[in-house]
Amino acid sequence: MEEGTAADMGQSSEDPSSARPARRRPTRAQTRQKVLDAALEVFGELGIQGGSLDAVAEAGQLSKGAIYSNFASKTELVLALVQENTLNRVGLGLEAVSHADGPVDALTMLSAAMTRALKGDQVRHRLVAELYILAHRDPQLAEALKVSRAEARAMGAETLRQGAALLGITLPMPAEHLIVVLIGLHNGLAMEYGIDDGSVPDDLFASVLVPTVLR
């Protein structure tokens, strides 16, 4: 009796392993985001002083090497968490302007987006407040925070300039000054909301921003 072929036996002649999709290693950007997500969870629950990189690694099921390949220290990681929030707000600003029907509509949409952000991302606002306190006792942290905030303001100011150009309006003050006002308003409202969630009506941000920019 002749020995049956693989096809006769109902088996594929192909190597079974060749049918499996190749396992892909996470990209550097994916790993970085996983570290940030885990850090937000850990520091949000334990605070900056209470949290550790070991806890971040455990929460994200990451190696310490994965963390250090993206962030040189806990300070750098925490600053990146805060900076990410600023980048998100810059994106919200450009999105609002690009879909608006004129300046009032754009500023109203931006205000609504910023209000949702300050109410929905309380963890990062608490981290900013904690960083502010810690920096007053740590000159090295103070300098790192100063640089980080300067970068954030520069990005925000450039967004204001781009938005004003798209809308055809003249800003009431230099963009570098206006962004400080807006960041201060945003952070201050976030703190008040965190203390008393009934203190910040949904239209409060717009009631300040619209007349300030379009005066």
Side-chain angles (χ1 to χ4, degrees):
M1 182 176 179
E2 293 183 11
E3 186 173 343
T5 64
D8 293 335
M9 300 289 288
Q11 300 174 355
S12 171
S13 59
E14 298 179 359
D15 181 354
S17 64
S18 66
R20 301 193 195 103
R23 294 185 64 184
R24 295 182 178 179
R25 297 182 63 182
T27 65
R28 182 177 179 84
Q30 289 172 331
T31 299
R32 185 179 188 277
Q33 189 58 52
K34 194 172 182 181
V35 173
L36 287 169
D37 290 343
L40 186 63
E41 177 185 340
V42 169
F43 296 129
E45 180 179 351
L46 302 177
I48 297 171
Q49 287 187 302
S52 66
L53 293 184
D54 286 330
V56 172
E58 182 178 353
Q61 297 182 318
L62 297 156
S63 67
K64 289 286 284 294
I67 296 176
Y68 280 114
S69 67
N70 287 277
F71 304 99
S73 65
K74 184 170 83 168
T75 296
E76 186 176 308
L77 175 53
V78 175
L79 289 174
L81 279 176
V82 175
Q83 190 81 320
E84 186 185 46
N85 195 37
T86 301
L87 290 172
N88 289 340
R89 291 201 296 267
V90 168
L92 288 172
L94 291 175
E95 181 76 10
V97 170
S98 64
H99 291 84
D101 295 324
V104 174
D105 188 41
L107 293 171
T108 301
M109 290 171 61
L110 173 59
S111 299
M114 297 288 277
T115 300
R116 288 193 298 272
L118 72 85
K119 291 183 177 182
D121 201 6
Q122 281 286 301
V123 171
R124 282 192 177 87
H125 286 289
R126 288 196 294 270
L127 291 179
V128 171
E130 188 175 355
L131 274 172
Y132 175 78
I133 294 170
L134 293 173
H136 278 272
R137 303 186 180 97
D138 184 339
Q140 187 174 358
L141 174 58
E143 184 58 30
L145 182 58
K146 180 180 177 180
V147 171
S148 175
R149 300 307 289 171
E151 292 174 353
R153 292 194 302 273
M155 288 186 290
E158 180 57 29
T159 300
L160 288 176
R161 281 190 287 267
Q162 291 179 25
L166 285 171
L167 295 170
I169 62 175
T170 300
L171 296 176
M173 64 187 76
E176 292 79 8
H177 296 169
L178 183 56
I179 194 62
V180 174
V181 173
L182 295 183
I183 290 174
L185 176 62
H186 189 264
N187 289 343
L189 291 178
M191 181 176 293
E192 293 303 318
Y193 177 81
I195 296 170
D196 177 3
D197 61 10
S199 65
V200 183
D202 288 342
D203 61 350
L204 183 58
F205 203 104
S207 70
V208 176
L209 180 61
V210 175
T212 297
V213 174
L214 299 180
R215 67 182 185 184

